[in-house]
Amino acid sequence: MLGPVSDILYRQAYVGSYNRSLRNPNWVAEHLTAESVGNDGPDDGSDANKPERSHSTFKEDVAIPRLFRAKLKDYVRSGYDRGHLAPAADVRESQEAMDETFLLTNISPQVGKGFNRNYWFYLENFTRSLTKHFDDVHVITGPLYLPKQEADGKFYVKYEVIGDPPNTAVPTHFYKVILGVKGKEYALQAFVLPNAAINDEPLEKFTMPLDAVEHASGLVFYPDLNRLAYKPLCNVVKCEVLQHFQENVKENAKKANWW
């Protein structure tokens, strides 16, 4: 068959779909629990084999044919960070599982200062913190390439392509669709953030109707979920990223000194 082909990649900590044309993920799906992210109690020091981010390195994914791979050299002097869609910090299972988050099939070019190293990082931390409120947290993350109206009144989809020769597309936006489950109660929220530096903006500014994200991405999220059965996540918990990050830093310090 001619395709197009979307490679489905089954990893220890996530499942992803890779776009061979854009050299970006289409989506990456995770299932988080308090146990899986380490929010299940004090750190008693017994986890001597806990994976370390410093032991992982970014790698091209050899599961993808060479012609269609995102390449490490694409990012050299590009001005963009290699941004995780399934964060390394979500993984405590094994070093191998963490290493898999550094494969370029889980990576998109992201603005560094103000986004990947800041607001996006805080959003990832907020997502992990939801395991304190829900038994299960399901997360789907991916890139978007959204139209923008220009001076002539028309809408255009424009994005940079990095690499020499040009190889890997730079998304204009990223989405994160979060479903929290506690017993028979469901809470869901979709967020869309620009791939740009974000200052002290409230997270709720970036909420989007689920069907709008589906329209933009071409995906249907949680198709078996009754759309009338869930509450908006931000009505159940406070959608505040920076506060959650600061609180988590303090809590981790307490865990480290618990014994």
Side-chain angles (χ1 to χ4, degrees), residues 84-243:
H84 287 71
L85 298 197
D90 286 359
V91 180
R92 293 172 59 91
E93 181 180 344
S94 68
Q95 188 64 48
E96 181 183 3
M98 180 173 283
D99 291 347
E100 288 178 342
T101 69
F102 284 80
L103 293 169
L104 292 189
T105 43
N106 180 49
I107 301 297
S108 288
Q110 290 187 335
V111 168
K113 187 176 180 181
F115 189 66
N116 178 55
R117 304 171 208 171
N118 301 101
Y119 205 93
W120 186 254
F121 174 69
Y122 303 150
L123 176 57
E124 292 171 339
N125 189 273
F126 165 76
T127 304
R128 284 189 293 276
S129 77
L130 294 174
T131 61
K132 301 173 185 177
H133 302 275
F134 300 101
D135 301 325
D136 299 276
V137 177
H138 301 274
V139 189
I140 303 176
T141 307
L144 292 171
Y145 307 84
L146 298 184
K148 183 178 180 181
Q149 190 173 26
E150 299 201 351
D152 61 3
K154 297 179 180 180
F155 287 84
Y156 298 86
V157 176
K158 293 185 178 181
Y159 53 85
E160 186 178 350
V161 182
I162 59 174
D164 186 13
N167 189 57
T168 297
V170 180
T172 64
H173 294 74
F174 290 91
Y175 67 83
K176 194 176 283 287
V177 180
I178 304 173
L179 173 64
V181 182
K182 188 178 182 69
K184 294 183 178 181
E185 296 184 355
Y186 299 84
L188 186 145
Q189 201 80 60
F191 301 94
V192 173
L193 286 71
N195 189 8
I198 301 173
N199 295 319
D200 258 348
E201 301 286 356
L203 179 58
E204 291 196 48
K205 177 181 178 179
F206 302 107
T207 60
M208 290 286 289
L210 184 63
D211 59 356
V213 183
E214 291 177 328
H215 180 267
S217 64
L219 304 172
V220 177
F221 300 99
Y222 311 114
D224 296 330
L225 180 66
N226 181 350
R227 297 294 170 101
L228 301 176
Y230 66 79
K231 300 176 182 178
L233 179 74
C234 293
N235 287 357
V236 178
V237 299
K238 285 188 176 180
C239 288
E240 298 176 341
V241 291
L242 187 56
Q243 178 183 338

